[in-house]
Amino acid sequence: MYRFLLTPRWWGINLFVVLAIPFCVFMGTWQLGRFEDRVQSHEEAEKQPAPGTRAPEPLDDLLPVSTKTSGRPAVATGTYSDQFLVPGRELDDRTGFYVLDLLRTDSGKALPVVRGWLPGTPGGTEVPAAPRGKVTVTGDLQASENTSSDGVDLRGGLPEGQLGMISAASLVNLVPYDVYDAWVTLTEPEAGGTGGAMRPVPAAAAQGSGLDLKAFQNLGYTGEWFVFGGFVLFMWFRLVRREAEAARDVELGLAADAD
């Protein structure tokens, strides 16, 4: 009754099932592993001391930025150079913009420094000038933003002096010197500067270190892959049963042979 399983058509069906089920199990396990990694990263981040309780470290000692170094206090020395305003940034449910200045370090490389946040729109609010001369800044280290970061403006066409995304990639064509692939946000206005009117921008949690929507998407994909694997097996059994019943009916003379 089951000799039909050896026909060329069923060899193709059987091969598909044999390959599809392990693939679904592999993909489901991989997605589950991604979710577990995010849970572990979240737990490790929760155990980390608050940024304000940790001693600042030299910038170069904390690079490249990782989930462990993101948010850590970093120290850098240099002179402020070019300034950019980053519009469309919210703080406490109010819309405003970041004031970002590039700190030229002794190596010649520049560190983007978010000196603070101001309400309103660039051009309509007076921006405090950056301190002159050589300064030492201490700020919470952040990874360069990307297209999925909150507040990023991807529309392009911003006026001169404005920046939609804080990253070395977006600054490389705007300044004639190298830029660190990281940035810091000052926790307090600069001593001796004129930034007292600006509000400090809190450091954001490192991407991939929290149980956000993307983490639970991984968990949802896990279920989808396992369900799909079960569905493939269910349909195979159903097709086999239907084919076997048809063959039995032919043998009993209850149906004509399709061949």
Side-chain angles (χ1 to χ4, degrees):
M1 185 180 301
Y2 292 96
R3 284 177 296 179
F4 62 84
L5 291 173
L6 300 178
T7 61
R9 180 170 69 91
W10 273 94
W11 268 111
I13 295 174
N14 294 337
L15 181 62
F16 171 78
V17 172
V18 168
L19 295 178
I21 292 178
F23 179 76
C24 292
V25 172
F26 169 77
M27 291 301 297
T29 304
W30 179 73
Q31 289 288 355
L32 181 60
R34 293 287 302 273
F35 175 73
E36 291 175 343
D37 289 342
R38 286 179 174 272
V39 171
Q40 184 177 359
S41 298
H42 175 69
E43 292 175 347
E44 291 177 353
E46 289 291 315
K47 295 177 182 178
Q48 293 291 334
T53 64
R54 307 191 71 161
E57 298 181 45
L59 172 67
D60 291 333
D61 292 349
L62 299 175
L63 297 177
V65 184
S66 65
T67 54
K68 292 185 177 180
T69 61
S70 180
R72 297 268 295 272
V75 178
T77 301
T79 55
Y80 282 119
S81 182
D82 295 276
Q83 182 180 90
F84 295 92
L85 306 181
V86 188
R89 299 305 176 105
E90 293 187 356
L91 187 62
D92 295 336
D93 297 326
R94 298 180 64 192
T95 301
F97 59 94
Y98 293 166
V99 178
L100 182 147
D101 287 83
L102 295 178
L103 183 75
R104 295 289 301 275
T105 62
D106 294 337
S107 66
K109 209 169 184 179
L111 173 66
V113 178
V114 172
R115 295 171 46 231
W117 173 92
L118 287 170
T121 58
T125 304
E126 183 179 355
V127 178
R132 296 184 178 181
K134 201 161 192 177
V135 296
T136 298
V137 301
T138 301
D140 294 338
L141 186 65
Q142 299 279 264
S144 288
E145 294 182 333
N146 54 52
T147 55
S148 61
S149 300
D150 292 337
V152 167
D153 188 340
L154 302 176
R155 295 172 300 173
L158 291 174
E160 184 177 357
Q162 295 187 27
L163 189 67
M165 180 169 62
I166 307 174
S167 70
S170 61
L171 286 164
V172 66
N173 294 322
L174 301 179
V175 294
Y177 40 81
D178 291 334
V179 179
Y180 280 102
D181 190 20
W183 57 284
V184 298
T185 174
L186 300 185
T187 55
E188 297 179 358
E190 313 93 327
T194 57
M198 295 187 293
R199 295 179 58 184
V201 176
Q207 288 192 342
S209 64
L211 295 180
D212 53 10
L213 178 60
K214 192 172 183 179
F216 288 101
Q217 283 180 339
N218 292 131
L219 187 60
Y221 294 149
T222 299
E224 288 180 2
W225 280 112
F226 286 142
V227 168
F228 184 69
F231 178 75
V232 170
L233 190 60
F234 167 76
M235 289 302 298
W236 183 83
F237 276 114
R238 185 171 180 179
L239 289 173
V240 169
R241 181 179 178 182
R242 187 177 66 177
E243 194 87 4
E245 289 176 349
R248 182 186 60 188
D249 291 344
V250 170
E251 289 182 1
L252 294 176
L254 301 176
D257 191 346
D259 296 333

